[in-house]
Amino acid sequence: MTLDKRIRDAIEARIRSGEWRPGYRIPFEHELVAEFGCARATVSKALSALVAAGLIERRRKAGSFVAHPQVHAALLDIPDLARLEGYRWERTACATAAPEEMVEVQSGPLLRVEGIHHADGAPLALERRLIDVSTVPEAATADFETEAPGSWLLGHVPWSDARHRIRAIAADRAQATALGMPIGVACLQLERWTWRAGALVTYVRQVFPGDRYDLTAEFGSRR
Amino acid sequence: MTLDKRIRDAIEARIRSGEWRPGYRIPFEHELVAEFGCARATVSKALSALVAAGLIERRRKAGSFVAHPQVHAALLDIPDLARLEGYRWERTACATAAPEEMVEVQSGPLLRVEGIHHADGAPLALERRLIDVSTVPEAATADFETEAPGSWLLGHVPWSDARHRIRAIAADRAQATALGMPIGVACLQLERWTWRAGALVTYVRQVFPGDRYDLTAEFGSRR
DNA sequence: AAATATTTGTACGTATGTATA
DNA sequence: TTATACATACGTACAAATATT
């Protein structure tokens, strides 16, 4: 374990135990330097990491203070469907999208791909995906018959930004039929918009039966 | 803008534009030192930030490489209900919990608080909360009549860890009645377990009508 | 298999800038 | 105004890991 990590852990432990409560002014950097017998840069590095973790705030001239907890952000884990036991992708449609769909996501010409993710022999998620072919021209020549568009895109599009929206919906007739459930079943709907350099790459909506899928998010001693 | 941030942004731009694709070996630190005319420590700080952001990987002797995108983690934003327009908390129950509830969450003696979060005059969420009074003794003397237990706890319990679970459920009779909806309506259920120094602080289950609530998560140029 | 060279990782001490109590 | 404490950056040193010879 490195020295800056040890310093970081020591301070974090005192915060998490409640010994140093929110608002408490932790020792000055020069005091921590004395306590740990190291250079100020090393203490500073540890404190910077604590700031990044949201545990403390630093104010010039005033010192560093234990932050007030904010449970309003957590790291959401979105599992890769393709890694599930008994995974299979079934494509049900692949066509050029209608003009109104371009309006819907405000993009250029689109490819629409629809299909079902199966896990353990049962349908797990219904997917409707739009791919902007002006951003990803190679997508026009793919058929997404055996490979789900999600994993195909991961291999063909470099780094991007994404926004997710999660909500609960009742399955409509088409969704219920595709997933083999009664109409109106509570489902988790995950929508994702992906951009690259400001241009839309893809939009996807996945619908999961509520009793077969959940999401988890961690906050705190993450990583 | 600081120098290390400028270096970081310059590299990030080349990655996001696709100029440097996943797997590409970015220039060695000494080359970046030459390019930006700075000390190696400054380049190293910029690269460390890019590692933390998941954009690159560094390997001794080999160099630093553009990471392969992983959309499997995103920062989930959990809004503070009390800040919504026309917010009101209505407590419906407050009592010592039954022994079987202690088993359910594996904790010490519990206080159970139930109530409804209203926003804009309409019920937004049904809450069932368990508080471990051995971890938070002061909770035994609070009545949670006017203040929701969530915000009360934020002010009385220092830093903690939390895990969230999100799923879609159909409203049962009691939930439907409390929220003024038909039975079976699709709802988003958010569960949260909170610990402090390894001990459970609180468990809460919030049920939102699917058409009145959603969650968003960001991935990429966050912060 | 072993030695070597290269690159990242950590830490130091110093210097200077900046916000502020 | 001034002293203080954090913020950024520099240059050096050595350690650790690992391709390459």
Side-chain angles (χ1 to χ4, degrees):
Chain A
M1 173 155 313
T2 64
L3 180 50
D4 74 283
K5 182 83 170 75
R6 283 222 314 278
I7 298 171
R8 185 196 150 144
D9 287 351
I11 296 172
E12 180 165 348
R14 285 183 267 211
I15 293 174
R16 294 211 120 91
S17 74
E19 182 187 341
W20 291 350
R21 300 184 62 89
Y24 177 84
R25 205 213 78 221
I26 74 173
F28 292 128
E29 297 190 358
H30 69 82
E31 295 174 308
L32 294 168
V33 164
E35 176 178 350
F36 291 96
C38 65
R40 197 170 80 84
T42 308
V43 164
S44 185
K45 185 176 180 185
L47 296 187
S48 297
L50 291 171
V51 169
L55 238 69
I56 67 167
E57 288 171 13
R58 300 166 90 184
R59 291 203 300 277
R60 290 174 144 116
K61 166 73 183 177
S64 299
F65 301 82
V66 178
H68 291 268
Q70 311 233 347
V71 195
H72 307 324
L75 203 58
L76 180 69
D77 180 44
I78 300 164
D80 184 354
L81 300 180
R83 296 191 181 197
L84 296 175
E85 198 72 30
Y87 174 81
R88 183 169 61 85
W89 160 252
E90 177 197 357
R91 194 198 70 181
T92 58
C94 182
T96 302
E100 58 266 29
E101 292 175 299
M102 291 172 54
V103 174
E104 181 189 336
V105 296
Q106 299 189 13
S107 76
L110 295 169
L111 190 67
R112 184 182 63 245
V113 183
E114 294 176 356
I116 299 171
H117 300 272
H118 297 262
D120 258 337
L124 174 66
L126 186 61
E127 172 164 328
R128 168 177 175 254
R129 183 178 290 268
L130 304 173
I131 302 172
D132 189 319
V133 289
S134 60
T135 313
V136 196
E138 317 93 289
T141 61
D143 65 4
F144 306 109
E145 179 82 44
T146 56
E147 188 176 18
S151 44
W152 185 90
L153 283 164
L154 261 183
H156 287 77
V157 177
W159 276 94
S160 53
D161 289 337
R163 198 179 88 235
H164 302 77
R165 184 167 72 179
I166 300 154
R167 55 187 310 190
I169 61 162
D172 64 22
R173 173 181 293 276
Q175 291 163 342
T177 305
L179 293 171
M181 325 173 296
I183 294 174
V185 163
C187 292
L188 198 66
Q189 173 177 282
L190 175 64
E191 292 175 287
R192 176 162 56 232
W193 292 260
T194 306
W195 298 269
R196 178 188 152 201
L200 184 79
V201 171
T202 183
Y203 161 83
V204 61
R205 185 188 67 197
Q206 295 174 329
V207 176
F208 302 83
D211 59 356
R212 286 208 67 198
Y213 194 74
D214 58 42
L215 292 165
T216 61
E218 299 276 348
F219 168 79
S221 39
R222 47 206 160 184
R223 255 179 298 277
Chain B
M1 172 156 312
T2 63
L3 179 51
D4 74 281
K5 182 86 169 77
R6 283 223 312 279
I7 298 172
R8 186 197 149 145
D9 288 352
I11 295 172
E12 180 165 348
R14 284 183 267 210
I15 293 174
R16 294 213 121 92
S17 74
E19 182 188 341
W20 290 350
R21 300 184 62 89
Y24 177 84
R25 205 212 77 222
I26 74 173
F28 292 127
E29 296 190 1
H30 69 81
E31 295 173 307
L32 293 168
V33 163
E35 176 178 350
F36 291 96
C38 64
R40 191 168 79 89
T42 308
V43 164
S44 185
K45 185 177 180 184
L47 296 188
S48 296
L50 291 171
V51 170
L55 237 68
I56 66 166
E57 288 171 11
R58 301 165 88 183
R59 290 204 302 278
R60 288 174 148 129
K61 169 71 183 180
S64 299
F65 302 82
V66 178
H68 292 267
Q70 310 232 348
V71 196
H72 308 323
L75 205 57
L76 180 69
D77 181 44
I78 301 164
D80 185 354
L81 300 181
R83 295 190 181 198
L84 296 175
E85 197 71 31
Y87 175 80
R88 183 169 62 85
W89 160 251
E90 176 196 358
R91 193 199 71 181
T92 57
C94 182
T96 302
E100 57 266 31
E101 292 176 299
M102 291 172 53
V103 174
E104 180 189 337
V105 295
Q106 300 190 13
S107 75
L110 293 170
L111 190 67
R112 185 184 60 244
V113 182
E114 294 177 355
I116 300 170
H117 299 273
H118 297 262
D120 258 336
L124 175 65
L126 185 63
E127 171 163 329
R128 169 178 175 252
R129 183 180 291 268
L130 303 172
I131 302 173
D132 189 318
V133 291
S134 60
T135 313
V136 197
E138 317 94 289
T141 62
D143 65 2
F144 307 109
E145 178 82 45
T146 56
E147 187 176 18
S151 45
W152 184 90
L153 284 163
L154 260 184
H156 287 77
V157 177
W159 277 94
S160 53
D161 288 337
R163 198 181 86 235
H164 302 76
R165 185 168 71 178
I166 300 154
R167 55 187 310 188
I169 62 161
D172 64 22
R173 172 181 294 277
Q175 292 163 342
T177 306
L179 294 171
M181 325 174 295
I183 294 174
V185 163
C187 293
L188 198 66
Q189 173 177 284
L190 175 65
E191 292 175 287
R192 176 162 56 232
W193 292 260
T194 306
W195 298 269
R196 176 188 154 203
L200 184 78
V201 171
T202 183
Y203 161 83
V204 60
R205 185 189 66 197
Q206 296 174 330
V207 175
F208 302 83
D211 58 358
R212 288 208 65 199
Y213 193 75
D214 59 43
L215 291 165
T216 61
E218 300 275 348
F219 168 80
S221 41
R222 49 205 160 183
R223 254 179 298 277

